[in-house]
Amino acid sequence: MKKLLERIGNVDRRIIFILMALAVIVPLALELTMEMPVGEGPSYDLYEYVEDLPADSRVLMSFDYDPSTKPELQPMARALVTHMMSNDVNIVAMALWPQGATLGQTILSSVSDSLGTEQYQDWVNLGYKTGGQVLIVRLGSSLEAAFPTDLEEVPYGEIPMLSDISTLRDFDLVITLSAGDPGIPAWVMIASDRFGVPVGGGCTAVSAPQFYPYLQEREGERPQMEGLLGGLRGAADYETLIERPGLAAAGMSAQSIAHLVIMVFIVIGNITFFATGRKKRTKGGGR
Amino acid sequence: MRLYVPLAITFIAGMIMILEFFIPHQPFPTLGDGVKDWYTIVASSAIFLGVLNLLRVHLKKIARRRKHWRYSPVTIIGFLSMFITGVAWGVTEETPFYYLFNEMVVPMGATMFSLLAFFVASAAFRAFRASNWRASLLLASAFLVMLGRVPIGDIIWRWIPGAAESSHPYLVSEIAEWIMQVPNMAGQRAILIGAAMGVVATSLRMIFGIERSYLGGGD
Amino acid sequence: MKIRTFSAMIPAVLLIAAAVAAQPVTVENLEAQDSPDDAGGAVELLWSLSEGTDFPDSITVLRRAPDGSMELVGTKPGVSTGHVDTGLENGREYGYLVRVHRGGEVAAEHGPVSAVPAAQWLHSKRWGMLLILIVLAGFILYFIEQGKKGKELYIRQIAGLAAVDDAVGRATEMGRPVLYVPGIMDMDNIQTIASMVILGRVAARTAKFGSPLLVPVSKSVVLSVSQEVVKEAYLEAGRPDAYQSDNIFYLTDDQFGYAAGVDGIMVRERPAAIFLLGTFYAESLILAETGRSVGAIQIAGTAMPSQLPFFIAACDYTLIGEELFAASAYLSREPKLLGSLKGQDVAKLFFIAVIVLGVLAFTLGDLWEPANEVAGFIRSLTRVE
Amino acid sequence: MTTGILGIWAGALLTLCLYSFLYRDNPFYRFAEHLFVGMSAGYWAVYTIFYVLKPNWWDKLVGAGDADPNMLWIIPGVLALLMLLRVVPKLAVYSRLPLALIVGGGAGLQLVTFFQTNGLKQVENTIIPLTGGGTVGFVNNLILVSGVVCGLVYFFFSKAHKGFTGGMASTGITILMVAFGASFGYTVMARISLLIGQTQFLLFEWLPTIPRVLGL
């Protein structure tokens, strides 16, 4: 028995890779679907806030991510833009990460074509600027100073929907899709805490736990963040809430199987570790 | 000149950004806006500096035939292909730049990081040990969150007879949400506060010229 | 999910609005004031709306021009309760009228009210934060000065450092090398600087016990600094001959290339002790896993929140976030590190006191009413808008 | 449609090149990795020059459109050029001036924003009454408050972790371990989601084009 565990203990990494690949490919290929109710939580809070926005209210949407986190954040962007455009909420898009400008443009133009919304009337993409948090503070005094033109070099003054928007305070909500820094912390610090503009957003699952303190609501106080979509699960929640299941919801079954496989690996790993007596003198390093 | 002028600039720029928060009266808003506009311009030239460095490293690699030098031309060609198409035809939709970005850069970027799923899997098998009470508590909490964040957690719970009709039909995801909203929030908040004080102390040392390592170590 | 923070629920009195709804809504207690906390040039008009649901079509704001005529400066929806008029001159008085429009004609007119825009020198809601910041900055700079004057600044024993000494001791018993990985960022990163200090400590021990010390780096500046630190440690230990500069070498700048290179060294050299101290990103997994598979005792330390869980699960001991900086301050006795650490401790003490007192006061508030005022005051100390 | 299929094939082949790293480090992986680094740098260069420096500096300097030229913008331009001198070893010392502006401005802003949002605001939100939410509410609030206080005690370095402080510190580290467990679970979830995203691309966008390309 010990011999067997010994051999399992140092199995070749590539076998583990193959098992992992199968754990993802099989559920996707079989198009396995799993019923996933959306309970109370940050995803629902964001949906509720966006749903309550009256028509023609103005949202600043910042695409602060790059291709490396596209699989998690692009479905969120698509779901949010679809939801807002169908409630004809005006979207002013921008980006704190250079590649976010183009990724955002892809979503905005494809959703606006399908829903028939008008560029420069219902949405505009101001593109990317350097500066991160420093740029956001600059938006507090003047949007035009930071974005003299939009992505297609149309001057700020000639864009009809921006005629009555001059600073960050003129927005009813800021939505940031953030893969790291600059991202959610910068927007919460400046837009929410300094200028009092409500902030909501989505982030990769890696950084979601760190933003829960911002979500706490105190009696009669505005929370630092109105809602948060955490990782692919957050995107799937939002897709379910707006009844447009997309890539994220389809991925949930594969996500489930892969999680089980990882947990089984950890259990087996620990069994072989303890069983083969390789229990080294490990100091817990702390009471 | 080599030391005291940069330290003076750091002090002035730092104090303007601090005072602008507390003093709404002119001239601070205008000074603040000035620092921010200049910051954007200088920061973008810093990014461009990174690009220059990358090209310099690869050109030197080719010149000196260093290890893997055969791949350096690929980086340079990649750079030129994006740069020239971007300059010549712009970056909006239907331009070659947009096409190259969407069809090549995006899939490569997404794939690069998806490799990590495999490394997590092999680390799960060979590295994550409940060897002390800290690690065991961490792994237990991780299991509950991983089960609760995906549909399978509740599906397994509802296989238990009577679970679906009980007061908690979706117990596993409720537990996961509770872990996120209470212990996780408390722990993350303690870390946030500690780290915030670290940032305050480090920023103070930089503005008052006590910390000079950012100047390239030249004391 | 909204956590109702469970303060005493004021029983919600249901307003029966039906009787009042019939009367049309009008503007009440209109007033004008300089808009606070700004650089001047703006007047704020505030009004409340009477009870009811029959809102006017719109509410317009008019300003008296120098020649006495009334100039339209703002059209607001029927539900709004205020308007900010900007682009004014500081110090000049401005008069205003507010008109309620219903069915295309003026239903009512209110005013005149007037105000003088002015600029404020100190933001009225932020002076509390300024005070606390000045006190804390004072403490930090004070402790740094004390440190410079050579005064003894006490810092508690860091458990991680005992683990460092054990690990090096164990490596020398088994006569196998020690591997030190200082992270993948450059010297402008605080975590790398802290890592260099601990490298000096490890080098001092390997110099004394004579076991080989391998230091693969991923940045050229880190290479030169590491060589300096290790050479100095070997000199101090009186073993300049044992110092081999080619044990400290540059691998590559590339994240995954560096991880693969270090893995190769782990498998070939089979070190008994591995140190992973500094800034790590996703490659932390690859390093910790191979280290575990070669059976080495692993000490990790980083302030990167996303990598800490993996290090804790995969390594034998992990210096968590600030412990890495505390360890480097403890070892280097560097005044600026010790001073800022003590200053941060003062801030933490202040926060702990405020939280504990505030929570106690609020909890007592249910039994003894005035405690709520005390709690409200304590919380207002940290309130900033 | 051919450009569409061509694009999907380019993306799919490069994806497979990168995945080949799992078997072992090989020329295909190196090729794709170097290509990705180069193209990303090209994207960054185009954006920083034509979509940041031009509209936010050059147009303001020469007064594009109706605005009149403003010579004050010369100064940031000079600073930006000095930054590039870092590449020239002899003149690198002058790059300290623009660097000082970035470090100073950044440090000044961070000092205020981190202190307000991650410091004071978190403390303010932790000052809550324990009672008022029934036993469940009481337990939750107790864990929240004690977790924050004990977590801060764990990162307190001026007093040895013995006796009462030792007890608080170990409570703190216990709650921190649960928080790290949550981060662990979420990070694993994130890595897997990335893999799912790319597998969806290969399975549902690339594979269907194979029959068409082979002319079936």
Side-chain angles (χ1 to χ4, degrees):
Chain A
M1 179 52 188
K2 203 158 180 206
K3 194 93 189 55
L4 174 67
L5 286 179
E6 191 82 37
R7 229 161 13 78
I8 292 177
N10 38 43
V11 77
D12 186 302
R13 272 164 61 138
R14 292 184 197 101
I15 296 173
I16 299 171
F17 292 159
I18 293 165
L19 288 176
M20 191 65 212
L22 290 177
V24 168
I25 292 170
V26 167
L28 283 177
L30 299 176
E31 282 170 13
L32 209 62
T33 54
M34 289 185 180
E35 175 248 352
M36 191 184 65
V38 183
E40 263 200 16
S43 311
Y44 184 76
D45 294 345
L46 184 63
Y47 167 79
E48 204 180 19
Y49 197 91
V50 173
E51 184 62 21
D52 296 346
L53 285 175
D56 286 331
S57 50
R58 294 162 313 193
V59 169
L60 178 64
M61 189 165 183
S62 186
F63 294 86
D64 309 334
Y65 60 99
D66 65 359
S68 65
T69 49
K70 169 193 168 239
E72 283 180 289
L73 296 176
Q74 199 82 335
M76 282 185 207
R78 188 173 295 280
L80 279 162
V81 168
T82 311
H83 187 200
M84 284 191 281
M85 281 191 176
S86 37
N87 293 1
D88 65 59
V89 164
N90 296 337
I91 299 175
V92 176
M94 61 172 276
L96 294 177
W97 291 40
Q99 291 157 337
T102 315
L103 288 166
Q105 184 68 19
T106 316
I107 294 286
L108 287 164
S109 59
S110 77
V111 172
S112 119
D113 295 347
S114 61
L115 295 180
T117 48
E118 268 277 312
Q119 187 171 13
Y120 298 128
Q121 298 296 345
D122 304 316
W123 64 274
V124 66
N125 187 355
L126 297 175
Y128 158 74
K129 289 294 183 255
T130 350
Q133 194 173 34
V134 174
L135 182 81
I136 304 174
V137 185
R138 189 68 175 97
L139 301 181
S141 47
S142 150
L143 222 65
E144 185 165 7
F147 291 97
T149 69
D150 86 328
L151 195 59
E152 280 143 27
E153 298 184 70
V154 171
Y156 188 90
E158 288 165 20
I159 299 171
M161 69 184 283
L162 296 178
S163 55
D164 56 359
I165 296 177
S166 57
T167 72
L168 193 56
R169 284 196 176 88
D170 298 331
F171 287 101
D172 304 308
L173 174 67
V174 169
I175 287 185
T176 161
L177 295 169
S178 117
D181 179 44
I184 284 182
W187 285 102
V188 168
M189 287 172 187
I190 307 295
S192 177
D193 278 358
R194 188 179 285 204
F195 292 116
V197 179
V199 169
C203 64
T204 67
V206 176
S207 39
Q210 298 157 36
F211 301 140
Y212 267 76
Y214 294 148
L215 290 163
Q216 184 198 357
E217 268 198 66
R218 253 182 334 104
E219 211 46 42
E221 291 280 334
R222 190 174 58 78
Q224 289 179 287
M225 266 187 90
E226 299 299 336
L228 174 72
L229 303 179
L232 199 66
R233 171 61 195 264
D237 284 349
Y238 211 85
E239 282 175 359
T240 319
L241 287 167
I242 59 169
E243 283 114 25
R244 289 172 190 263
L247 281 176
M252 269 300 133
S253 57
Q255 188 91 37
S256 302
I257 307 295
H259 278 205
L260 285 185
V261 165
I262 293 278
M263 283 191 264
V264 164
F265 278 171
I266 294 178
V267 168
I268 295 175
N270 275 289
I271 291 172
T272 56
F273 171 72
F274 285 114
T276 55
R278 272 185 298 158
K279 200 165 177 308
K280 286 191 300 306
R281 181 190 51 70
T282 50
K283 259 168 52 49
R287 263 117 342 255
Chain B
M1 204 308 274
R2 300 156 57 86
L3 184 60
Y4 292 105
V5 171
L7 289 185
I9 294 177
T10 306
F11 180 77
I12 294 164
M15 289 316 284
I16 289 177
M17 295 302 275
I18 294 172
L19 294 177
E20 188 212 9
F21 179 73
F22 295 107
I23 304 173
H25 197 287
Q26 286 297 0
F28 289 100
T30 328
L31 283 176
D33 289 348
V35 169
K36 290 169 214 148
D37 289 337
W38 291 10
Y39 183 98
T40 299
I41 294 159
V42 176
S44 58
S45 87
I47 290 175
F48 191 64
L49 177 69
V51 170
L52 282 184
N53 254 336
L54 178 81
L55 295 179
R56 190 165 59 98
V57 162
H58 281 282
L59 287 173
K60 212 172 5 172
K61 226 175 179 179
I62 297 172
R64 300 224 183 103
R65 296 285 189 283
R66 278 229 214 92
K67 197 154 158 278
H68 298 311
W69 65 275
R70 272 183 206 75
Y71 297 101
S72 292
V74 171
T75 305
I76 292 166
I77 292 164
F79 172 80
L80 292 177
S81 64
M82 290 296 276
F83 190 73
I84 292 167
T85 49
V87 167
W89 294 290
V91 296
T92 53
E93 288 158 72
E94 273 72 41
T95 58
F97 178 90
Y98 187 85
Y99 186 80
L100 283 176
F101 175 74
N102 270 331
E103 304 300 340
M104 294 178 75
V105 177
V106 169
M108 281 198 282
T111 308
M112 189 75 85
F113 270 77
S114 68
L115 288 171
L116 295 173
F118 295 103
F119 299 146
V120 168
S122 75
F125 194 79
R126 292 169 26 147
F128 298 144
R129 297 292 179 263
S131 48
N132 51 55
W133 68 271
R134 280 182 171 200
S136 327
L137 185 57
L138 186 143
L139 287 176
S141 156
F143 270 38
L144 281 172
V145 165
M146 280 168 73
L147 270 178
R149 286 286 105 176
V150 280
I152 200 105
D154 287 327
I155 292 171
I156 295 171
W157 161 251
R158 292 159 77 89
W159 283 339
I160 302 168
E165 299 74 29
S166 70
S167 63
H168 297 284
Y170 299 104
L171 180 67
V172 182
S173 44
E174 268 168 52
I175 292 174
E177 192 56 35
W178 180 81
I179 288 178
M180 294 310 291
Q181 300 259 359
V182 183
N184 170 65
M185 186 191 291
Q188 299 290 356
R189 181 166 278 172
I191 295 168
L192 273 183
I193 295 173
M197 296 323 301
V199 166
V200 168
T202 315
S203 301
L204 265 178
R205 294 205 314 259
M206 282 201 220
I207 291 171
F208 286 97
I210 300 166
E211 180 74 51
R212 295 175 181 169
S213 59
Y214 69 90
L215 287 177
D219 266 19
Chain C
M1 176 174 81
K2 295 183 175 54
I3 301 184
R4 293 284 165 275
T5 45
F6 314 112
S7 66
M9 287 295 185
I10 304 146
V13 172
L14 194 65
L15 264 177
I16 303 144
V20 174
Q23 287 156 335
V25 170
T26 61
V27 166
E28 281 168 354
N29 42 57
L30 167 70
E31 57 182 44
Q33 65 182 25
D34 158 49
S35 73
D37 303 325
D38 68 356
V43 163
E44 222 168 78
L45 289 143
L46 299 169
W47 61 80
S48 59
L49 296 173
S50 60
E51 280 311 312
T53 53
D54 174 9
F55 289 103
D57 306 339
S58 70
I59 299 175
T60 54
V61 176
L62 300 102
R63 180 175 63 214
R64 174 170 295 105
D67 60 13
S69 65
M70 295 313 288
E71 199 190 345
L72 175 68
V73 286
T75 316
K76 304 294 271 185
V79 289
S80 66
T81 56
H83 173 69
V84 178
D85 188 15
T86 55
L88 308 173
E89 222 187 290
N90 283 353
R92 247 186 68 199
E93 189 175 17
Y94 291 90
Y96 291 90
L97 283 179
V98 168
R99 286 201 185 121
V100 177
H101 294 263
R102 201 182 287 281
E105 32 90 16
V106 179
E109 187 178 280
H110 302 273
V113 284
S114 66
V116 176
Q120 285 73 32
W121 273 102
L122 184 57
H123 197 289
S124 59
K125 302 187 187 68
R126 293 177 181 168
W127 59 268
M129 174 176 165
L130 180 61
L131 215 60
I132 300 172
L133 206 53
I134 289 172
V135 168
L136 294 182
F139 270 112
I140 290 175
L141 299 175
Y142 164 76
F143 280 120
I144 289 178
E145 283 316 309
Q146 290 295 87
K148 279 195 180 131
K149 286 208 220 53
K151 201 161 165 313
E152 182 50 33
L153 293 174
Y154 169 75
I155 285 197
R156 67 169 164 85
Q157 229 291 349
I158 309 284
L161 289 181
V164 167
D165 299 338
D166 286 354
V168 178
R170 187 169 171 278
T172 45
E173 275 160 35
M174 303 165 72
R176 280 172 33 204
V178 169
L179 176 67
Y180 191 97
V181 180
I184 60 168
M185 291 303 278
D186 217 329
M187 283 314 291
D188 59 353
N189 184 302
I190 329 171
Q191 295 170 71
T192 319
I193 299 169
S195 177
M196 285 300 116
V197 174
I198 301 174
L199 172 61
R201 166 75 166 227
V202 170
R205 297 227 156 233
T206 53
K208 204 159 67 182
F209 295 126
S211 46
L213 171 63
L214 304 172
V215 186
V217 295
S218 93
K219 292 283 185 299
S220 46
V221 179
V222 176
L223 176 66
S224 45
V225 173
S226 316
Q227 281 169 339
E228 248 171 70
V229 163
V230 174
K231 191 190 297 171
E232 209 180 293
Y234 272 69
L235 285 176
E236 258 164 46
R239 296 289 307 282
D241 53 309
Y243 167 68
Q244 289 159 345
S245 73
D246 50 23
N247 274 353
I248 300 155
F249 45 90
Y250 168 80
L251 273 179
T252 167
D253 272 62
D254 167 62
Q255 176 184 13
F256 288 124
Y258 178 69
V262 173
D263 277 5
I265 297 164
M266 285 181 186
V267 171
R268 271 197 316 279
E269 304 291 336
R270 300 193 72 75
I274 296 177
F275 295 94
L276 304 165
L277 295 160
T279 317
F280 291 90
Y281 290 92
E283 76 292 343
S284 63
L285 268 176
I286 307 169
L287 298 171
E289 181 205 337
T290 318
R292 173 74 81 175
S293 68
V294 296
I297 181 167
Q298 293 194 104
I299 312 287
T302 183
M304 303 301 290
S306 52
Q307 303 312 320
L308 274 172
F310 294 116
F311 276 145
I312 295 170
C315 299
D316 299 282
Y317 192 87
T318 308
L319 284 165
I320 299 171
E322 292 178 71
E323 280 181 314
L324 177 66
F325 304 124
S328 68
Y330 181 84
L331 289 175
S332 64
R333 310 307 297 175
E334 170 76 33
K336 62 181 180 188
L337 293 177
L338 283 174
S340 63
L341 204 64
K342 298 290 282 183
Q344 286 170 49
D345 272 2
V346 167
K348 284 176 199 151
L349 212 56
F350 168 69
F351 287 149
I352 290 172
V354 163
I355 292 176
V356 170
L357 291 176
V359 168
L360 283 180
F362 262 123
T363 315
L364 285 175
D366 291 352
L367 321 163
W368 179 55
E369 192 38 39
N372 271 340
E373 271 73 34
V374 171
F377 167 71
I378 293 172
R379 190 193 281 170
S380 68
L381 282 179
T382 59
R383 194 161 182 67
V384 186
E385 256 141 67
Chain D
M1 231 313 265
T2 52
T3 50
I5 291 187
L6 193 66
I8 291 177
W9 270 78
L13 289 180
L14 290 169
T15 302
L16 295 176
C17 283
L18 287 170
Y19 277 141
S20 67
F21 179 76
L22 293 173
Y23 179 63
R24 60 175 170 67
D25 198 346
N26 61 71
F28 293 106
Y29 170 76
R30 252 177 222 298
F31 167 81
E33 193 200 4
H34 279 75
L35 184 66
F36 173 66
V37 167
M39 291 179 85
S40 296
Y43 182 100
W44 284 65
V46 167
Y47 259 81
T48 39
I49 295 172
F50 296 96
Y51 291 87
V52 178
L53 285 174
K54 179 173 173 303
N56 287 48
W57 173 61
W58 181 256
D59 288 350
K60 289 189 176 154
L61 179 66
V62 301
D66 44 21
D68 43 24
N70 173 347
M71 282 310 135
L72 198 59
W73 288 97
I74 294 273
I75 304 169
V78 168
L79 285 174
L81 280 180
L82 289 181
M83 192 56 150
L84 300 184
L85 289 183
R86 259 179 109 79
V87 182
V88 179
K90 286 200 306 311
L91 304 171
V93 75
Y94 294 107
S95 74
R96 285 183 172 182
L97 302 179
L99 192 62
L101 174 73
I102 294 184
V103 166
L109 182 64
Q110 273 192 351
L111 190 142
V112 170
T113 51
F114 270 81
F115 188 63
Q116 176 189 10
T117 296
N118 287 0
L120 290 179
K121 193 72 173 172
Q122 300 309 322
V123 169
E124 183 196 336
N125 282 344
T126 312
I127 300 172
I128 48 172
L130 293 181
T131 55
T135 50
V136 172
F138 179 78
V139 168
N140 284 354
N141 289 342
L142 189 65
I143 295 173
L144 182 62
V145 171
S146 58
V148 174
V149 170
C150 295
L152 286 175
V153 167
Y154 180 80
F155 289 116
F156 191 73
F157 298 108
S158 301
K159 189 168 182 314
H161 278 182
K162 292 190 187 61
F164 182 64
T165 353
M168 284 179 83
S170 60
T171 326
I173 193 62
T174 311
I175 293 177
L176 278 171
M177 280 305 141
V178 175
F180 285 135
S183 298
F184 181 99
Y186 263 76
T187 306
V188 167
M189 192 167 100
R191 307 298 186 214
I192 292 169
S193 308
L194 300 179
L195 176 60
I196 289 172
Q198 278 317 91
T199 315
Q200 282 173 327
F201 163 68
L202 290 176
L203 280 182
F204 302 126
E205 288 182 44
W206 178 52
L207 277 187
T209 64
I210 293 178
R212 234 173 299 150
V213 165
L214 301 181
L216 295 184

